[in-house]
Amino acid sequence: MESTEPVKQQKRMGLGMMVLAWLTLLGLGALFFGDVLERQFNPNQQLETRLAADGVREVVLQRNRFGHYVTSGEINGKPVTFMLDTGATGVAIPDAVAKRLGVPRGRPYRTQTANGTAVSYAAVLDSVAVGDIELNNVSAGIAPGMGIDQVLLGMSFLKHIEFTQRGDTLILRQLLPAS
């Protein structure tokens, strides 16, 4: 009678290889679809800045599938994700993001949010940039109650920028200082 042990080993090895193949396929699928979802949320991850003939810097943003303008940018030279919010008075930074960026809390003050009154902390950002559009000494608030990872890019930044919306496109324009 022949031994069935080699056949059992081959079956176990085949099963192990099949499990490994499925795990690899699932891992690659998760990476691919995670990236697809991130691009749907933030379609403006790779920004290009145009320098117009009239001496204006322009950055073109695309609206995301949820109807918001979300873009990659920088605060004090460190990467962040901005959600443009013309209804926000200032730049609102979630507490966790402020800690990651090393932005210190200033004096506390009361703010009115969609969820009611909250306490925020004053801050001044050395620099805020979207593409090559950059402003210095921008007023901001650190908001401990914000449960998101995006920084709301409010009017303390946007009031210095000309912006025009056409369809699903938002064009940000910054005049260059006269030399």
Side-chain angles (χ1 to χ4, degrees):
M1 189 170 218
E2 246 179 72
S3 170
T4 60
E5 190 60 32
V7 172
K8 286 182 182 178
Q9 274 186 327
Q10 285 179 344
K11 284 184 178 182
R12 272 193 302 251
M13 183 181 275
L15 180 63
M17 294 300 280
M18 189 169 51
V19 167
L20 184 61
W22 275 108
L23 288 174
T24 301
L25 184 64
L26 288 172
L28 290 173
L31 285 174
F32 173 77
F33 288 111
D35 189 48
V36 167
L37 291 174
E38 178 60 27
R39 278 194 310 257
Q40 286 179 350
F41 178 73
N42 180 3
N44 304 298
Q45 294 178 23
Q46 303 295 324
L47 294 177
E48 291 183 27
T49 304
R50 301 185 301 216
L51 187 56
D54 57 356
V56 173
R57 285 188 183 127
E58 289 185 345
V59 173
V60 178
L61 302 179
Q62 297 301 313
R63 187 188 326 229
N64 71 11
R65 66 180 289 206
F66 307 105
H68 301 288
Y69 291 101
V70 176
T71 184
S72 299
E74 293 183 349
I75 291 178
N76 298 343
K78 296 178 182 170
V80 295
T81 300
F82 289 118
M83 182 178 296
L84 278 69
D85 186 352
T86 57
T89 304
V91 175
I93 307 171
D95 194 46
V97 175
K99 287 177 182 171
R100 179 177 60 81
L101 298 173
V103 177
R105 287 182 173 189
R107 65 169 173 72
Y109 64 94
R110 294 215 175 274
T111 57
Q112 190 63 39
T113 71
N115 293 326
T117 303
V119 174
S120 292
Y121 297 88
V124 176
L125 306 173
D126 294 333
S127 66
V128 176
V130 175
D132 289 339
I133 293 177
E134 183 174 354
L135 295 176
N136 298 311
N137 300 316
V138 177
S139 297
I142 298 171
M146 286 178 67
I148 59 175
D149 292 331
Q150 297 80 40
V151 175
L152 297 182
L153 191 60
M155 293 307 291
S156 62
F157 178 87
L158 295 171
K159 70 182 178 186
H160 301 285
I161 305 297
E162 178 184 301
F163 51 97
T164 308
Q165 180 179 356
R166 289 189 188 109
D168 289 340
T169 301
L170 183 71
I171 301 170
L172 303 178
R173 294 172 43 95
Q174 179 186 33
L175 288 172
L176 296 176
S179 43

